[in-house]
Amino acid sequence: MDLTILILLGSGLFLGWSLGANDAANVFGTAVGTRMVRFGTAAAVCSIFVILGAVVSGAGAAHTLGKLGSIDAIGGSFMAALAAAMTVYGMTRSGLPVSTSQAIVGAIIGWNWFSNSVTDTQVLLKIVFTWLACPILAGCIAVVLFKFVEWFLNKANLHLLRLDAYTRVALIGAGAFGAYSLGANNIANVMGVFVPVSPFTDFALTEQFTLTSIQQLFLLGSIAIAVGVFTYSKRVMLTVGSELMPMSPISAWVVVVSHSIVLFLFSSQGLEHALAQAGLPTIPLVPVSSSQAVIGAVIGLGLLKGGRNVRWGVLSQIGTGWIVTPFLSAAICFVGLFFLQNVFDQQVYKPLSFELEQHVVTRISDLGVPRTAYADLVGESYESSGDLLKAMEKNAPLTRKQVHIVVEYARVHYIDITQSKLSRFDFSRLSEVQIDTLQKLEGQRYHHAWQFADALSSLSPQWQRQPATVSNRIYNKRLDDDLAYLVRTFENGR
Amino acid sequence: MRIRLVSKNIKLFNKTRVLEQQIDEFFDKVSESGMVFSRALEVYLAEGANEEYEAFLQQGARIEGKGDTLRRTIEIELYAQTLIPDLRGDVLRLLEDMDHLMNVFEGNLFRISIQQPDVPEEFHAGFLELTRTVVTCVDSVILSARSFFRDIDAVRDHNAKVIFYETEADKKGTKLQRAIFASDLPLDRKMHLRYFVERIDELANSAEDVADTLAIYAIKRRV
């Protein structure tokens, strides 16, 4: 990996450092602020579990962020992460608590605007919905958990000192869980924008265990978070403990556990799989704000006790910060991309091509896109999804699903299945049958990703998508990830 | 593996267990000092400041000294291990207030030994009744203090008893003083006896003060 790549990844590392400095306080702030846990202990536990969470479970939320906007050039990823980091840092310096999740989402949308890429509004709405759902859910969990703890302690009649000792152990345990959830959920904020352009290759530690390129990316990001925890989080930990509402150590434990449960719910692929298998609605895997979850839990407890102890003025300041953050981050990203591209001559997005050739038109027509939208555009090509859709919507309005179909099927990928690329490919993620099928396509070329996918699925059912039911969601998602990886590997220019 | 885990757990909470025992022992000392005072007064009224009384005096002094040592040890441990940071101040004040009760018991034993009040037999029963009521009042506040650590809901119950016995002590003290000043004793002896009535009654007043602060601490201790 050359120095340029490392420098460009640096903005993500800066963002990771900021996240460690700020969000570690959400996990251990009350424990350290109330002097129940020493800072050194808190920092060590937080760092270890953030790294574990990021490497072991970080992929789920990153996937959703990728669907919002797939930044395909490392210069673009650099500026998106830098814009988010600058927003977080600037807001913190102004004394406003900030959500890293909202900053990175704003930056991704800024990139979409600059590159004239279509923003998937459903994904955006899903993310915004979770910004509302997260604090409410955390508050509800906190109330239920608090009532249970209160009942239990009244029954247990523990000696005050014994309760103190147990509370310390519980705070460390909850902090570890919270740090794991923080790593799992928020590593997407730090390194998610670099996933499509990851400079790492899969690395086999043992015969059975491989560290994928994404895991290596997340490991780097989580180490940056750990450095932020050790170097800058102490002051934030000591002040965040009782800023919004004075709390006892047990209330602090309830807040941390509630926050951790919410973050875990929104990042656990295992839970999503289990819910899908049981036929239940799944929870979207989205990076949610650690700060929002903590504040939601604190407000929940405050309202349970009558709301008198809550500092509503502080809360309104926090809410203002949350609203301003994504807009500010988007604006900084947009301006930054302009300078990066035009002044520093860096590629911030890959030039794309969208063509409405006859076979594309046939396919999108079969999938329900109205003919009136594209009848006079057959044979035309466009440099961005935005231009393509603008041209089509002049003729006829399109639904969100139709937009998605048009963008997917019209996009040109110059895919070349060469022997040299096959020899470098990491087959560990595919089955024997899938590998066999892929190798049969050696020497073939495709203009579009869907043609490549069709060729694979025609040769083997293991490359076919299952019917779009809830229980097949996980299987189809894995298949889509594998196909996306194949396209990135065999596309010309890589 | 299981044995190792258990022994690790014991080691993990051993310091806590030792401190709990020390707090219990401290409260035991306060209770003992009350019982020693009660017995010493019985002996003094029956036989004067004889050897038996002096033995109780020394015992009372030893108990008070041991109580001081325990209190200091507990205070140092609470700070050194940064235990119960949100309630530490309350617990330390509570220990000091309870220590004050022990000091008053010991102080009264020494005052009796030094000043040797001449208590007419007609007032013996009054003094003994007052002392018993005061010692019961102090015992109730000790139970309240123990409950603060173990069973917060019981604090209120014991506090109610403290208030009751303090009121009773006031009534008995007032009745005794009236009887003393209505008697034919010279004024100096009346004043001397009144002084000791007030010193004994002071214990019930102090115990009630401790109960009032315990009520506040109990509210703060709630989750």
Side-chain angles (χ1 to χ4, degrees):
Chain A
M1 182 172 41
D2 64 34
L3 189 61
T4 317
I5 303 288
L6 204 56
I7 292 168
L8 292 171
L9 282 177
S11 65
L13 301 182
F14 176 33
L15 184 58
W17 178 89
S18 313
L19 189 132
N22 275 284
D23 288 21
N26 295 330
V27 175
F28 274 107
T30 44
V32 172
T34 55
R35 303 284 200 267
M36 292 291 279
V37 177
R38 289 195 179 90
F39 172 73
T41 308
V45 171
C46 192
S47 300
I48 290 167
F49 282 89
V50 153
I51 291 171
L52 280 174
V55 173
V56 173
S57 303
H63 180 87
T64 304
L65 217 56
K67 279 162 81 172
L68 179 64
S70 186
I71 302 178
D72 53 13
I74 196 161
S77 302
F78 164 80
M79 187 44 67
L82 184 63
M86 284 169 65
T87 305
V88 169
Y89 185 66
M91 298 287 266
T92 307
R93 285 288 299 252
S94 306
L96 288 173
V98 71
S99 164
T100 319
S101 309
Q102 288 169 318
I104 199 68
V105 165
I108 289 173
I109 292 173
W111 182 88
N112 281 351
W113 286 340
F114 187 82
S115 64
N116 204 12
S117 302
V118 172
T119 298
D120 190 330
T121 49
Q122 193 180 43
V123 173
L124 180 62
L125 284 172
K126 187 159 60 166
I127 292 172
V128 171
F129 168 74
T130 59
W131 291 347
L132 296 170
C134 166
I136 293 170
L137 187 59
C140 295
I141 292 173
V143 165
V144 169
L145 191 57
F146 183 84
K147 294 305 274 183
F148 172 74
V149 167
E150 198 176 41
W151 169 83
F152 175 77
L153 290 178
N154 284 339
K155 291 286 177 205
N157 277 337
L158 293 170
H159 192 282
L160 180 64
L161 293 176
R162 192 73 60 90
L163 179 62
D164 180 74
Y166 290 163
T167 305
R168 280 166 203 271
V169 172
L171 279 168
I172 291 173
F177 177 39
Y180 185 92
S181 300
L182 183 70
N185 192 275
N186 277 234
I187 194 64
N189 294 334
V190 172
M191 286 294 176
V193 291
F194 294 99
V195 164
V197 295
S198 170
F200 299 106
T201 52
D202 291 2
F203 176 73
L205 289 171
T206 64
E207 268 187 29
Q208 286 81 30
F209 186 73
T210 301
L211 206 60
T212 65
S213 69
I214 293 175
Q215 283 175 320
Q216 289 171 59
L217 198 62
F218 288 175
L219 177 63
L220 192 63
S222 58
I223 290 171
I225 295 174
V227 171
V229 169
F230 269 100
T231 57
Y232 206 76
S233 69
K234 183 173 185 179
R235 192 169 47 176
V236 184
M237 276 192 196
L238 289 173
T239 54
V240 88
S242 57
E243 227 176 55
L244 193 53
M245 190 183 86
M247 280 187 286
S248 66
I250 291 171
S251 298
W253 179 84
V254 168
V255 165
V256 173
V257 171
S258 305
H259 143 278
S260 308
I261 290 172
V262 169
L263 259 63
F264 180 75
L265 287 176
F266 283 103
S267 61
S268 172
Q269 293 182 92
L271 177 66
E272 189 194 37
H273 180 73
L275 289 171
Q277 293 281 32
L280 295 167
T282 57
I283 295 169
L285 299 184
V286 176
V288 292
S289 168
S290 174
S291 311
Q292 287 177 335
V294 163
I295 285 163
V298 170
I299 298 299
L301 291 186
L303 290 174
L304 181 67
K305 295 179 181 179
R308 283 180 295 277
N309 283 338
V310 179
R311 297 189 184 109
W312 297 104
V314 173
L315 184 63
S316 71
Q317 272 187 313
I318 293 169
T320 305
W322 287 347
I323 292 168
V324 168
T325 298
F327 292 105
L328 186 60
S329 184
I332 294 173
C333 186
F334 190 92
V335 170
L337 288 168
F338 177 84
F339 276 98
L340 200 59
Q341 178 179 269
N342 299 309
V343 176
F344 295 98
D345 199 30
Q346 291 292 319
Q347 187 182 50
V348 298
Y349 62 91
K350 284 218 161 53
L352 301 177
S353 184
F354 295 84
E355 292 178 6
L356 286 173
E357 302 142 309
Q358 187 56 53
H359 53 272
V360 172
V361 154
T362 307
R363 178 57 73 94
I364 65 175
S365 172
D366 290 343
L367 291 168
V369 178
R371 194 180 156 67
T372 46
Y374 56 79
D376 58 343
L377 303 175
V378 177
E380 296 288 333
S381 59
Y382 301 88
E383 286 182 356
S384 72
S385 54
D387 289 343
L388 166 65
L389 287 165
K390 215 180 290 183
M392 289 182 75
E393 284 184 333
K394 264 189 201 157
N395 297 333
L398 298 172
T399 65
R400 191 206 71 84
K401 190 179 169 189
Q402 289 166 347
V403 163
H404 185 73
I405 290 168
V406 167
V407 169
E408 184 188 338
Y409 283 88
R411 177 150 172 209
V412 175
H413 294 270
Y414 295 104
I415 298 167
D416 201 353
I417 318 295
T418 63
Q419 204 273 327
S420 62
K421 285 179 190 170
L422 276 170
S423 64
R424 288 199 309 269
F425 185 76
D426 171 31
F427 290 105
S428 61
R429 61 196 293 159
L430 303 178
S431 68
E432 296 260 358
V433 172
Q434 286 179 320
I435 296 167
D436 232 11
T437 313
L438 179 62
Q439 285 173 335
K440 282 177 187 166
L441 297 179
E442 184 185 335
Q444 297 296 319
R445 285 178 174 186
Y446 303 97
H447 215 47
H448 300 279
W450 56 270
Q451 291 174 320
F452 180 31
D454 282 353
L456 285 166
S457 64
S458 68
L459 289 174
S460 164
Q462 287 204 13
W463 282 109
Q464 291 170 7
R465 290 184 109 247
Q466 299 301 311
T469 61
V470 171
S471 55
N472 288 332
R473 191 183 301 171
I474 306 293
Y475 177 86
N476 287 338
K477 195 164 106 171
R478 281 206 188 112
L479 188 64
D480 289 343
D481 286 344
D482 289 341
L483 284 168
Y485 176 68
L486 286 176
V487 168
R488 284 200 305 272
T489 307
F490 292 104
E491 193 172 14
N492 281 339
R494 291 184 184 260
Chain B
M1 186 59 159
R2 186 183 288 179
I3 293 169
R4 190 178 291 181
L5 277 174
V6 167
S7 63
K8 265 191 185 170
N9 281 338
I10 288 173
K11 203 175 170 181
L12 189 66
F13 297 117
N14 196 39
K15 281 186 181 173
T16 303
R17 205 191 314 274
V18 166
L19 205 50
E20 287 172 24
Q21 284 167 355
Q22 285 173 335
I23 290 173
D24 282 336
E25 219 181 302
F26 174 77
F27 289 136
D28 290 343
K29 294 299 168 206
V30 180
S31 183
E32 267 181 59
S33 64
M35 289 187 284
V36 165
F37 175 75
S38 182
R39 277 294 294 132
L41 189 65
E42 281 174 20
V43 168
Y44 178 80
L45 290 174
E47 296 161 27
N50 61 6
E51 277 184 19
E52 193 181 355
Y53 178 84
E54 290 301 316
F56 277 124
L57 173 64
Q58 295 309 316
Q59 189 182 1
R62 278 196 304 274
I63 291 169
E64 196 274 341
K66 180 79 175 141
D68 279 343
T69 305
L70 278 168
R71 178 178 57 80
R72 288 190 194 103
T73 305
I74 293 164
E75 286 174 1
I76 288 168
E77 283 303 302
L78 285 177
Y79 272 104
Q81 296 180 45
T82 59
L83 299 174
I84 45 171
D86 54 329
L87 295 168
R88 188 164 54 221
D90 295 344
V91 167
L92 293 173
R93 270 194 294 278
L94 173 65
L95 295 177
E96 278 162 18
D97 290 343
M98 299 301 281
D99 187 56
H100 171 72
L101 295 175
M102 266 197 301
N103 291 342
V104 175
F105 276 129
E106 190 213 14
N108 284 344
L109 286 173
F110 273 100
R111 284 186 199 99
I112 291 170
S113 172
I114 292 165
Q115 297 178 32
Q116 306 221 7
D118 183 5
V119 184
E121 201 169 330
E122 65 196 283
F123 301 128
H124 282 194
F127 268 96
L128 288 173
E129 232 182 278
L130 176 63
T131 301
R132 273 194 287 274
T133 304
V134 159
V135 169
T136 306
C137 186
V138 170
D139 281 345
S140 296
V141 87
I142 292 169
L143 286 172
S144 185
R146 289 191 203 269
S147 297
F148 172 74
F149 287 92
R150 282 202 162 83
D151 180 7
I152 201 75
D153 291 330
V155 168
R156 191 177 165 156
D157 295 334
H158 293 299
N159 279 358
K161 288 177 185 158
V162 171
I163 293 166
F164 172 78
Y165 285 120
E166 191 273 339
T167 308
E168 285 296 300
D170 279 345
K171 287 180 192 167
K172 286 172 182 171
T174 304
K175 184 179 167 188
L176 184 56
Q177 286 186 67
R178 283 188 192 284
I180 288 168
F181 280 94
S183 71
D184 295 327
L185 292 171
L187 184 60
D188 58 327
R189 281 184 70 189
K190 288 179 184 175
M191 299 291 278
H192 201 208
L193 290 174
R194 182 212 68 186
Y195 172 80
F196 281 97
V197 172
E198 285 175 350
R199 292 286 70 73
I200 294 170
D201 189 43
E202 177 195 346
L203 281 157
N205 295 335
S206 297
E208 191 188 43
D209 291 341
V210 174
D212 289 340
T213 49
L214 265 170
I216 304 297
Y217 297 161
I219 293 169
K220 285 169 75 177
R221 210 205 124 170
R222 294 203 180 276
V223 173

